């Protein structure tokens, strides 16, 4: 177990709705990264939060937004859901930025958009 | 051309075989490289970092070829438990933190 938790584990939404996914980072980690993994693809980097500020963003539209809280937990918000947003959403925490070799993934939230 | 490309496989090999995967990347400014392993319906986990000098961890050997812009992973003496998807990750785009994952290569080790 990595100590990174995500909620909920599964979620079903309809097109146009909004969704909030949550991630609790491992103790001692101040950085959280979010990824989207479509079926049969590798994870795609959405953005990273370091000490409550966005620190790097992938090629995702503004309707994907996030927050990091003082306890370093994080939220991913997606507005105006589209069918293609159906995917596994992974968060990963790390003790510092740019540390791909020390990031630990949570189990993910599987989002289905109908 | 995709930033990071991998042959999706699957690679079907018998136990005890040696298997190798390659991963090519397009950005010559990429700074760091990794291999992750992902079991079915699980989260990815770091397998190993890839250093310029190459590195080995037991049955696993990773190498980087900057001139040809690819990284490789060699698995010797394959075990049934090695069956998984192997994801390569390339970091950096002009210094910013943008990790790019390949789509993964599926390995199936059979008895």
């Amino acid at each position: 177990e990595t100590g990174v938790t995500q909620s909920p584990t599964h979620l079903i939404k309809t097109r146009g709705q909004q969704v909030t996914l949550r991630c609790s980072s491992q103790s001692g980690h101040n950085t959280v990264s979010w990824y989207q993994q479509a079926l049969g693809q590798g994870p795609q980097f959405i953005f990273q939060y370091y000490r409550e500020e966005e620190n790097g963003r992938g090629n995702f539209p503004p309707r994907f937004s996030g927050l990091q809280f003082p306890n370093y937990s994080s939220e991913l918000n997606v507005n105006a859901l589209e069918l293609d947003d159906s995917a596994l959403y992974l968060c990963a925490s790390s003790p510092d930025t740019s540390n791909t070799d020390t990031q630990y993934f949570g189990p993910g939230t599987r989002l289905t958009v109908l | 051309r995709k930033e990071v490309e991998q042959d999706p496989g699957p690679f079907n090999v018998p136990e005890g075989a040696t298997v190798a995967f390659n991963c090519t990347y397009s950005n010559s400014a990429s700074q760091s490289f990794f291999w992750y392993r992902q079991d079915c319906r699980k989260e990815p986990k770091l397998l190993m970092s890839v250093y310029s000098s190459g590195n080995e961890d037991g049955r696993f050997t990773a190498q980087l070829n900057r001139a040809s812009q690819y990284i490789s992973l060699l698995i010797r003496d394959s075990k049934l438990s090695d069956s998984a998807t192997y994801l390569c990750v390339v970091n950096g785009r002009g210094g910013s933190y943008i990790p790019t994952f390949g789509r993964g290569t599926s390995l199936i080790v059979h008895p």
Side-chain angles (χ1 to χ4, degrees):
Chain A
E1 293 295 323
T2 64
V4 180
T5 61
Q6 291 187 244
S7 62
T9 53
H10 295 85
L11 202 52
I12 299 175
K13 292 284 189 179
T14 56
R15 268 188 309 175
Q17 285 188 309
Q18 178 266 343
V19 69
T20 297
L21 310 181
R22 295 178 176 83
C23 172
S24 291
S25 57
Q26 185 165 311
S27 176
H29 287 188
N30 57 22
T31 303
V32 173
S33 302
W34 284 94
Y35 296 82
Q36 179 195 67
Q37 187 173 22
L39 199 60
Q41 301 297 317
Q44 281 195 74
F45 177 73
I46 304 174
F47 42 56
Q48 181 186 78
Y49 277 82
Y50 170 65
R51 295 188 174 180
E52 302 178 58
E53 297 285 332
E54 187 178 289
N55 176 59
R57 187 180 182 96
N59 191 25
F60 279 81
R63 59 189 185 85
F64 285 78
S65 63
L67 281 175
Q68 188 178 33
F69 300 99
N71 66 355
Y72 304 130
S73 66
S74 178
E75 285 183 356
L76 165 66
N77 298 290
V78 187
N79 292 323
L81 283 167
E82 300 176 1
L83 296 180
D84 284 349
D85 295 334
S86 295
L88 179 68
Y89 288 84
L90 295 158
C91 78
S93 76
S94 53
D96 209 336
T97 61
S98 302
N99 285 346
T100 303
D101 56 344
T102 54
Q103 69 176 342
Y104 296 94
F105 283 87
T109 293
R110 192 164 295 279
L111 172 65
T112 302
V113 182
L114 302 175
Chain B
R1 182 184 173 188
K2 286 188 178 179
E3 287 190 56
V4 178
E5 294 203 64
Q6 293 184 256
D7 180 346
F11 285 61
N12 270 285
V13 303
E15 272 186 291
T18 295
V19 62
F21 311 132
N22 280 345
C23 167
T24 59
Y25 61 94
S26 61
N27 184 1
S28 59
S30 298
Q31 298 170 357
S32 52
F33 309 86
F34 308 89
W35 284 102
Y36 273 71
R37 170 192 169 128
Q38 186 171 27
D39 293 303
C40 188
R41 304 189 75 80
K42 297 283 192 178
E43 70 273 20
K45 293 182 180 177
L46 178 70
L47 180 64
M48 58 199 309
S49 303
V50 187
Y51 305 122
S52 297
S53 56
N55 51 310
E56 188 173 313
D57 182 3
R59 299 181 293 108
F60 298 83
T61 300
Q63 293 197 314
L64 166 63
N65 185 317
R66 283 193 183 272
S68 300
Q69 294 182 205
Y70 73 87
I71 63 172
S72 63
L73 177 68
L74 180 78
I75 305 175
R76 290 180 298 278
D77 189 23
S78 298
K79 311 290 185 192
L80 297 177
S81 58
D82 294 334
S83 298
T85 296
Y86 292 84
L87 300 156
C88 71
V89 188
V90 175
N91 257 10
R93 187 186 299 158
S96 62
Y97 179 74
I98 305 285
T100 303
F101 280 72
R103 65 176 295 182
T105 297
S106 175
L107 172 66
I108 300 170
V109 181
H110 57 82

